[in-house]
Amino acid sequence: MAAISSFSSHPNANPNPNFISPMLQPYLEQQQERIQPEPPPDDATPHDPFSNKDIGDSSATTDDNSNTSSTIPNPSANANANPNPNPNPNANPGPIKLLHVSFNQDYGCFATGTDRGFRIYNCDPFREIFRRDFDGNGGGIGSVEMLFRCNILALVGGGDSPQYPLNKVMIWDDHQSRCIGELSFRSDVRGVRLRRDRIVVVLEQKIFVYNFADLKLLHQIETIANPKGLCAVSQVAGSFVLVCPGLQKGQVRAEHYASKRTKFIMAHDSRIACFTLSQDGNLLATASSKGTLVRIYNTHDGSLLQEVRRGADRAEIYSLAFSPTAQWLAVSSDKGTVHVFSLKANSGNAGSERSTSPPGPNLSVATSSSSLSFIKGVLPKYFSSEWSVAQFRLPEGSQYIVAFGHQKNTVVILGLDGSFYRCKFDPATGGEMTQLEYHNFLKPEEAF
């Protein structure tokens, strides 16, 4: 799940939290019924599926050493959170600062964190579904993670005036308009990933996996320094795959919880900059800090299935995204270009741990766009590289994340400048993508 954030670290606002946790099972049973896997119809109400009630607040915490106990939510436990929403968006003068943008698990929605609160948008058709602005001195939300299309969100404070401490993950139920749980740590939270059954919290050098129903700590993983909060989880029920940085530079760790197997993959010589999983967790795409090559691996046996080239110059890769069928891979970077690559690996076949996986790198990395491939043994590897099928040019100077749209051969691009693009590529002829739609989601008068 792609996400980008732009907030700096702040001292922990609550260095001595109480270590308690609520029972979330009743809330999860309610929210499972409200999950909408497909985009809502055009005539859906603007606030569906979220409610717009006054915010209450309840709290529960757990520390890095997993000292947990159960209790009912305590409305007065979290003194660091500002419980009052701002019903008047004009009460906060000045332009809105965007701190975070992320897609939900099926890429049908996206969430934004601002210096005033958070907002939820539908991708197709594009529209704002819901917003919540917080009043008072706080309000900054540095990370918002959705749970598909239900009312459960994970919030982390951010910005110059964070709404919540940066060392806490707040489990927010917008149907009840209050926090129903809290996870507290001894260092800042770098990222959060949600599944219907798990909460994954990423710190600088640790990752914690919790059971969603009771916030019980199930697993903790040591990683190399991970300031970006890199982590990816599969979303297919019954098969939980988690990918995170390993303990060495360029190494990726793949945890297969169903088979209780761990696979370490030396993906690059340089530091890992970005990676993503296919929905079933069988395929892994990685990019290093060089940003020139993207590699696709089988997560079960660690074999390299394909290698594609973004470009020749160094670049910072912001996001990678598989299409639902793993036929295509999209890449965004600081070069202002989104690339779409054709993939040869079959996600279903990649799930096999036997030797029936697709050919190794020497056979699978065949050139699709270079006419010089027949003499690739003579010319440098650059000339025989596999290049993108389609591209889309963006204004430079902003960070962008990318995902495949629900319409066939479409790509959705989100920018930290508030931009929303929907583009279409031709899988046969390739080349420049066609822009179908543009909105600035921070300026409703321009978006609707």
Side-chain angles (χ1 to χ4, degrees), residues 437-448:
E437 197 172 355
Y438 170 81
H439 302 282
N440 186 327
F441 53 81
L442 291 181
K443 300 178 180 179
E445 67 275 8
E446 294 184 12
F448 301 100

Side-chain angles (χ1 to χ4, degrees), residues 118-161:
F118 63 88
R119 301 179 183 185
I120 308 296
Y121 298 83
N122 192 69
C123 289
D124 188 14
F126 173 82
R127 72 171 184 276
E128 181 179 305
I129 298 175
F130 178 76
R131 71 168 66 185
R132 187 171 292 278
D133 290 343
F134 297 99
D135 206 352
N137 296 326
I141 299 296
S143 179
V144 189
E145 294 297 322
M146 300 178 66
L147 181 60
F148 289 89
R149 289 179 171 271
C150 78
N151 48 288
I152 303 296
L153 303 168
L155 306 178
V156 180
D160 296 331
S161 300

Side-chain angles (χ1 to χ4, degrees), residues 187-417:
S187 60
D188 290 352
V189 175
R190 298 300 186 185
V192 183
R193 302 293 182 266
L194 299 181
R195 283 171 49 100
R196 289 189 175 100
D197 56 350
R198 297 290 184 266
I199 300 175
V200 179
V201 181
V202 186
L203 305 184
E204 180 83 24
Q205 291 185 292
K206 276 189 178 182
I207 292 179
F208 297 89
V209 181
Y210 295 89
N211 186 43
F212 213 143
D214 54 10
L215 296 187
K216 179 182 178 181
L217 180 64
L218 303 177
H219 192 205
Q220 56 181 310
I221 302 171
E222 300 273 348
T223 71
I224 197 171
N226 185 17
K228 289 185 176 181
L230 299 178
C231 183
V233 296
S234 63
Q235 295 298 334
V236 174
S239 175
F240 179 23
V241 182
L242 180 150
V243 172
C244 64
L247 288 171
Q248 302 177 38
K249 181 179 67 173
Q251 186 185 67
V252 178
R253 174 174 178 162
E255 288 286 339
H256 293 265
Y257 287 96
S259 60
K260 298 181 180 179
R261 293 172 61 92
T262 302
K263 185 65 183 178
F264 291 93
I265 302 171
M266 283 305 303
H268 299 272
D269 294 330
S270 304
R271 175 180 52 84
I272 299 294
C274 190
F275 54 69
T276 191
L277 274 175
S278 58
Q279 287 284 310
D280 56 15
N282 289 333
L283 298 179
L284 166 70
T286 67
S288 74
S289 56
K290 290 183 179 179
T292 55
L293 298 173
V294 177
R295 292 171 176 155
I296 294 87
Y297 292 91
N298 181 324
T299 62
H300 295 271
D301 60 20
S303 61
L304 175 63
L305 304 178
Q306 193 171 348
E307 181 181 272
V308 297
R309 180 174 290 276
R310 182 214 55 81
D313 299 330
R314 278 183 171 268
E316 182 177 358
I317 304 297
Y318 291 136
S319 73
L320 301 166
F322 285 103
S323 65
T325 60
Q327 182 182 2
W328 308 99
L329 178 73
V331 181
S332 66
S333 72
D334 64 350
K335 294 299 184 181
T337 305
V338 169
H339 296 269
V340 173
F341 297 89
S342 176
L343 300 183
K344 299 175 179 62
N346 182 288
S347 184
N349 292 338
S352 173
E353 297 186 21
R354 299 187 296 273
S355 60
T356 56
S357 59
N362 292 332
L363 296 177
S364 64
V365 185
T367 291
S368 64
S369 59
S370 174
S371 61
L372 301 175
S373 60
F374 68 98
I375 52 172
K376 64 182 179 181
V378 179
L379 293 175
K381 189 176 181 181
Y382 172 87
F383 292 98
S384 61
S385 293
E386 186 169 353
W387 298 84
S388 59
V389 172
Q391 309 84 33
F392 184 75
R393 312 290 175 181
L394 293 159
E396 293 190 39
S398 184
Q399 299 182 46
Y400 299 93
I401 60 174
V402 64
F404 286 89
H406 286 190
Q407 299 177 31
K408 188 176 181 180
N409 300 331
T410 60
V411 170
V412 175
I413 305 166
L414 307 176
L416 268 179
D417 57 358

